Amino acid sequence: TMAVARVNLRALTSWVGIARLFAVVLSCLTFSLVASTGNFGGPSGTWCMFTWCFCFIVTLLVLLLELLELYPVLPLSWDDFTSAFSMLAVLMVFTSSVVFPATFISSPCSSNKCARQAVATTTSFLCFLAYAVEVGLTRAKPGDISSFLSTVPGLLKVFEAYVACLIFSLLDEYNKSGLMWCVAVYSICFIFTLLIIIFTIGRCLAYFPCPLDKVLVGYNFLALLMYITATILWPLYSFRGRPRPESCSRNCSWDKHLGITFLTIFNLIAYLVDLVYSSRMVFIRTP
């Protein structure tokens, strides 16, 4: 039987719907302004344009599916999918809002093109705020029985996977045994975290033969231990006896290793918070 589309205006008039409408308009305005300048070449510009276009298309699709109430026919957990996407959009748009002006806006900013780039940066940041509001509105409150990816541990899973992607984008030289171990840590944790997200959205975790909540706590503990070793070994093997070169350009290997050091610390903190929250959810039951 064919699914009958019904119009659900609440998809547009609820607070979540309004936040999504703002995100659609702001992302469209941002990539239109940047496209009008014709200055978005190179990896950074391509990434920013992809982010705004991707978020615009997916958010518009989410709004249409909820407006016509067609999402129940999809073979996935809709709440988990929308929670994961909104968190991913927060991270992607925030990154673009920082990378774009740092790469393309020069000082002093006096030309018409520069003014459009400045407005695009502003609309991009407002778009980030719209997605952040959506995450705040859809996040599961303590004690709620809700979709996993709308809980704090679920949102942190998206954050951990995204930070790992940023780390991979900065990797260039890791020919020492300590650095190879760190890359193995980033890769293993990323793969398992991504599988958890995919299986959750695909409603596959129900078929897991073990108590999943306790398995996730165990995984978070192991990931935390692995990231502790990476947090120590990466800067040790990257900077010991290697001061920053005087001729260090934008794509300098030393700067990339410094960026990976900070991203490793961010993920270490994320896995620590993830472990604390998931342990409380499993072992401390609220009445």
Side-chain angles (χ1 to χ4, degrees), residues 17 109 118 122 191 219 223 229 268 271:
C109 184
T122 304
I191 291 170
Y219 162 68
T229 64
L268 172 68
Y271 277 109

Side-chain angles (χ1 to χ4, degrees), residues 15-200:
W15 286 114
V16 174
I18 292 170
R20 287 172 179 162
L21 281 172
F22 269 106
V24 166
V25 172
L26 290 165
S27 57
C28 180
L29 189 58
T30 303
F31 72 69
S32 299
L33 282 167
V34 174
S36 71
T37 66
N39 185 21
F40 51 91
S44 298
T46 303
W47 162 255
C48 293
M49 282 296 280
F50 167 78
T51 294
W52 297 317
C53 293
F54 170 74
C55 292
F56 167 76
I57 292 169
V58 176
T59 308
L60 187 61
L61 189 62
V62 167
L63 279 171
L64 287 174
L65 289 172
E66 292 209 344
L67 179 65
L68 301 176
E69 291 193 342
L70 293 174
Y71 63 89
V73 302
L74 299 175
L76 50 81
S77 171
W78 184 250
D79 288 340
D80 283 310
F81 169 74
T82 52
S83 295
F85 168 71
S86 58
M87 183 63 183
L88 179 64
V90 164
L91 298 170
M92 291 176 69
V93 175
F94 176 76
T95 305
S96 298
S97 301
V98 174
V99 170
F100 179 76
T103 307
F104 293 99
I105 297 182
S106 55
S107 181
C109 184
S110 54
S111 65
N112 179 266
K113 184 177 83 170
C114 186
R116 278 178 283 167
Q117 290 173 328
V119 174
T121 301
T122 304
T123 55
S124 179
F125 186 75
L126 291 173
C127 184
F128 151 72
L129 292 179
Y131 281 117
V133 168
E134 182 186 344
V135 170
L137 291 170
T138 56
R139 184 177 69 84
K141 304 299 183 292
D144 281 359
I145 299 172
S146 185
S147 55
F148 172 68
L149 292 180
S150 66
T151 63
V152 171
L155 295 172
L156 284 170
K157 289 283 181 289
V158 180
F159 177 84
E160 291 153 6
Y162 182 76
V163 171
C165 288
L166 293 180
I167 290 173
F168 295 143
S169 71
L170 294 175
L171 285 174
D172 55 359
E173 299 175 9
Y174 48 93
N175 50 8
K176 299 176 183 177
S177 57
L179 298 182
M180 289 180 183
W181 163 253
C182 294
V183 174
V185 168
Y186 305 142
S187 303
I188 292 169
C189 293
F190 170 74
I191 291 170
F192 276 96
T193 301
L194 188 62
L195 286 175
I196 291 169
I197 295 170
I198 293 172
F199 287 166
T200 302

Side-chain angles (χ1 to χ4, degrees), residues 231-242:
T231 304
I232 296 169
L233 293 177
W234 184 267
L236 183 67
Y237 279 86
S238 295
F239 306 122
R240 186 173 58 182
R242 282 189 62 200

